[in-house]
Amino acid sequence: MTELPGGVVYGVRLRTSWDYRYIGQTSKSAEARLRKHFQVAASGRRTPFYAWLRKQSREDVVVDV
C-alpha cells in the first residue's frame, strides 16, 4: 500500500473477529503503524490495548483501512 498525503484511519482486530480492538489514524501506511504497535507492546508499555496485543500471535492480528 502506498502512503496517502492525508493519512489513513485504520482498525486493529483479530483475523477471526470483526470487533475492532483499536482505531487509529496515521500518516504512514496502516501496515507500518501495526508493526510500530507491536514494537511498543514488546517494549512493555502498559495500556489495555498493548496488553491485549502482547497476548496475540502476529499472524492472528490484522489491520484494516
Side-chain angles (χ1 to χ4, degrees):
M1 177 175 279
T2 61
E3 291 184 25
L4 301 175
V8 295
V9 175
Y10 64 95
V12 178
R13 65 178 176 85
L14 288 178
R15 187 176 305 280
T16 58
S17 173
W18 286 105
D19 295 330
Y20 289 100
R21 295 294 298 215
Y22 184 84
I23 304 293
Q25 181 179 1
T26 183
S27 60
K28 306 294 182 188
S29 72
E31 292 80 9
R33 187 63 183 108
L34 181 60
R35 285 191 301 273
K36 185 65 174 176
H37 278 306
F38 274 111
Q39 289 175 353
V40 173
S43 76
R45 181 168 294 173
R46 296 178 52 137
T47 69
F49 172 66
Y50 288 127
W52 173 84
L53 199 56
R54 280 190 290 274
K55 294 177 186 177
Q56 311 308 319
S57 167
R58 284 184 185 238
E59 295 81 31
D60 294 338
V61 177
V62 295
V63 62
D64 297 327
V65 175

